[in-house]
Amino acid sequence: MTSHPHHPIIYVRGFAASQGEIDEAVADPYMGFNVGATKARRAWSGSFQRFFFGSPLIRLMRDYQYSDVFENGEDLLETERADLKLPYRSIIIYRYYDSASTDFGNGETPPIEEFAKGLSRLILKLRDRVCGDGEGQVKASDFKVHLVAHSMGGLICRAFLQNPALGAADARAAVDKVFTYATPHNGIDMRIVRNVPGWATFGDINNFNRERMAKYLALDQSEDVSQVTNFPAERIFNLVGTNPADYAVAKGISSWAAGEASDGLVRIANAVTHSLDAKGKRAGSPRAFVHRSHSGHFGIVNSEEGYQNLVRFLFGKLKVDAILDVDDITLPPEVQKKKDEGKKITASYNFETSVSIRGCQWQITRREVRENSAIFRTYDQMFPEPKRNPDRAQSPHLFSIFLDPTKSVMSSGSVSFAVDIKVLVPDYTVDGLLFMDRHYEGGYILRELILVEAFPEDGSMQNWQIKYGLQDKNPGKPGTSAETAKLFGSAGVSLKIPLAQKTRPGFQGTLRFEIRPWS
């Protein structure tokens, strides 16, 4: 089908607490998916120029020829004209708050379970409006839909997908991918209370209480409700915000209460999903970290970073996972001497990483200490006693990115990205006391900027030749043909790049890329 993978998109907005917020949301035909941003950015000349982001809605319309379903003031999805067919590349706004508004409803907010059931009905209605047996039309058996959700909207999607009582099986089977912006997948925690209490019923804010969430998500336990069931977790993308400072709701009280490692409302650790395999092993959904707040002028939905992750996840052809296998980290000579004397040494390490895609002005994902999003490991986690062999289960998973060859700026159709990876010098303790001799804050044990380029070998997009280069040795262009091996048990290849820093403190390990076809 020429329409694939550009399936219809349903946007599910986030939470509105008060009646005024609900009525304001209902008054917007696009529920915020049309909100853009105008910000200053420094140009090559040194001057500051305005940068305009038109909104995800407008960008999808312009870049991928999607269209809305409003015409002459009418919602064509709701029309009584049974013969009317909508374009397959349609964007639908799920207006679940209409029934709770004073304009279109009774002013009483239904429970989140009703919102999930409504999403199921909407999907089936959309299927009937876009599918047909005519020439060029998509058959109902081929119909798929993408769900894109902000904040609580992601919980509505999960409730519908995970709880068989909250929708039709054929509606769930039609969902191809789910993209969530800043969704509190494991609830909302505040400084004052660990989790939103179940008795906090104002505006149905208890939707973010874990015990309440476990019920509508059909989970057996409520300690961690980020587990995805009845839907592949790898088909859900989590976009995580790391900027609490620019979240201005409640005059900054929300940002303070959520804490530094948050987007101002949702803590970073709570914004991701996972699944469990048959052995109980945890596997996380693909995710990216961007320095954006939960909403507002610096919000995560109306951001270029968010849009670039969205379209590559929905429409891309390659998925790249990066894992850092750490073989050894040596101590500074002074600390090693103390260890040899029998002193107890402790150390923990922060791993920073960012990824830039060729032709894109923004980092597609970024994890940094100063943004409270770096990956943290203690030495004991990576090298457990007594044998101190590397524990590969603790190898930092640096990122998942998606690449779209149709957006390549090269005539070869190749796709390329740059990875900046840093292992920071830790604070060492000797017998429980900080050891500050010859310590320089901000130093790192390892830093490399690595360029990777993948060339399609045929039109099938299944076979790729991969090259890489280190910026300090081959600046600006990947030039070393990589030795790749097939991934065990799945389609794709594995690329391993050895990394070493021989001075003390030193590092030895391997940056491992797992590159798979994506559809």
Side-chain angles (χ1 to χ4, degrees), residues 15-28:
F15 178 68
S18 67
Q19 190 62 52
E21 290 174 346
I22 291 174
D23 289 339
E24 183 179 358
V26 168
D28 179 354

Side-chain angles (χ1 to χ4, degrees), residues 60-313:
L60 284 165
M61 290 177 169
R62 185 177 66 196
D63 297 347
Y64 294 93
Q65 293 74 57
Y66 274 84
S67 60
D68 63 15
V69 295
F70 303 138
E71 184 177 293
N72 296 325
E74 182 182 12
D75 183 347
L76 299 182
L77 187 61
E78 302 295 335
T79 184
E80 296 181 359
R81 290 178 284 170
D83 60 331
L84 178 69
K85 292 297 181 182
L86 296 176
Y88 195 67
R89 296 195 194 192
S90 289
I91 297 175
I92 313 299
I93 308 301
Y94 179 29
R95 298 180 56 85
Y96 64 86
Y97 268 133
D98 280 6
S99 63
S101 72
T102 55
D103 287 334
F104 305 112
N106 57 13
E108 296 181 3
T109 305
I112 197 170
E113 289 89 342
E114 290 303 314
F115 295 153
K117 293 177 183 178
L119 178 58
S120 175
R121 293 190 294 269
L122 178 65
I123 291 172
L124 297 181
K125 181 183 292 186
L126 177 61
R127 181 191 63 186
D128 294 341
R129 285 293 184 188
V130 302
C131 295
D133 295 325
E135 185 178 352
Q137 291 183 326
V138 175
K139 294 181 180 180
S141 57
D142 293 329
F143 171 78
K144 293 291 182 181
V145 66
H146 297 310
L147 301 181
V148 178
H150 175 230
S151 194
M152 189 184 77
L155 299 180
I156 294 173
C157 295
R158 283 184 58 203
F160 154 65
L161 291 169
Q162 294 185 215
N163 192 334
L166 302 182
D170 52 345
R172 282 190 291 274
V175 177
D176 183 48
K177 297 170 188 168
V178 181
F179 186 96
T180 65
Y181 295 96
T183 289
H185 289 292
N186 194 34
I188 290 181
D189 292 307
M190 297 291 176
R191 293 179 194 263
I192 304 170
V193 290
R194 180 177 178 269
N195 182 222
V196 170
W199 48 259
T201 58
F202 168 71
D204 288 323
I205 197 170
N206 61 353
N207 284 335
F208 309 110
N209 171 264
R210 290 191 185 94
E211 290 187 6
R212 169 91 172 96
M213 292 173 68
K215 292 178 181 178
Y216 64 71
L217 294 174
L219 295 173
D220 295 332
Q221 52 81 34
S222 58
E223 288 78 21
D224 183 348
V225 291
S226 64
Q227 181 185 350
V228 175
T229 58
N230 299 327
F231 190 81
E234 64 268 19
R235 305 291 284 183
I236 299 178
F237 190 98
N238 309 140
L239 192 65
V240 183
T242 64
N243 177 14
D246 287 320
Y247 189 58
V249 169
K251 298 183 179 180
I253 295 176
S254 172
S255 175
W256 171 83
E260 292 80 5
S262 74
D263 62 11
L265 180 64
V266 180
R267 292 188 179 179
I268 292 172
N270 288 342
V272 295
T273 51
H274 75 281
S275 63
L276 297 177
D277 63 17
K279 297 181 179 180
K281 185 178 180 181
R282 185 173 175 137
S285 297
R287 60 199 63 173
F289 298 77
V290 296
H291 196 54
R292 291 283 179 162
S293 64
H294 191 76
S295 62
H297 296 301
F298 293 92
I300 196 168
V301 177
N302 54 329
S303 68
E304 184 73 21
E305 302 98 314
Y307 177 75
Q308 295 296 340
N309 276 290
L310 171 68
V311 297
R312 284 169 168 79
F313 174 69

Side-chain angles (χ1 to χ4, degrees), residues 324-331 336 339 349 351 379 382-383 387-392 395 423 445-446 499-510:
L324 183 63
D325 290 327
V326 182
D327 295 323
D328 190 24
I329 299 181
T330 59
L331 298 170
Q336 184 64 51
K339 181 178 176 62
Y349 298 86
F351 299 84
Y379 183 85
M382 293 186 292
F383 303 97
K387 294 184 178 180
R388 292 298 188 186
N389 293 326
D391 182 357
R392 291 298 182 231
S395 292
V423 182
I445 298 173
L446 175 80
L499 299 175
Q501 176 63 45
K502 296 182 180 180
T503 59
R504 299 182 70 93
F507 177 93
Q508 184 172 338
T510 302

Side-chain angles (χ1 to χ4, degrees), residues 32-55:
F33 205 45
N34 55 319
V35 176
T38 306
K39 294 299 170 187
R41 185 171 64 191
R42 196 164 197 169
W44 65 271
S45 62
S47 63
F48 286 89
Q49 298 179 355
R50 285 182 292 179
F51 177 82
F52 298 91
F53 174 69
S55 79

Side-chain angles (χ1 to χ4, degrees), residues 417-419 449-453 467-469 471 474-478:
F417 59 93
V419 180
L449 184 63
I450 301 165
L451 309 177
V452 180
E453 187 166 13
K467 293 184 177 182
Y468 76 92
Q471 181 72 5
N474 187 21
K477 184 179 180 180

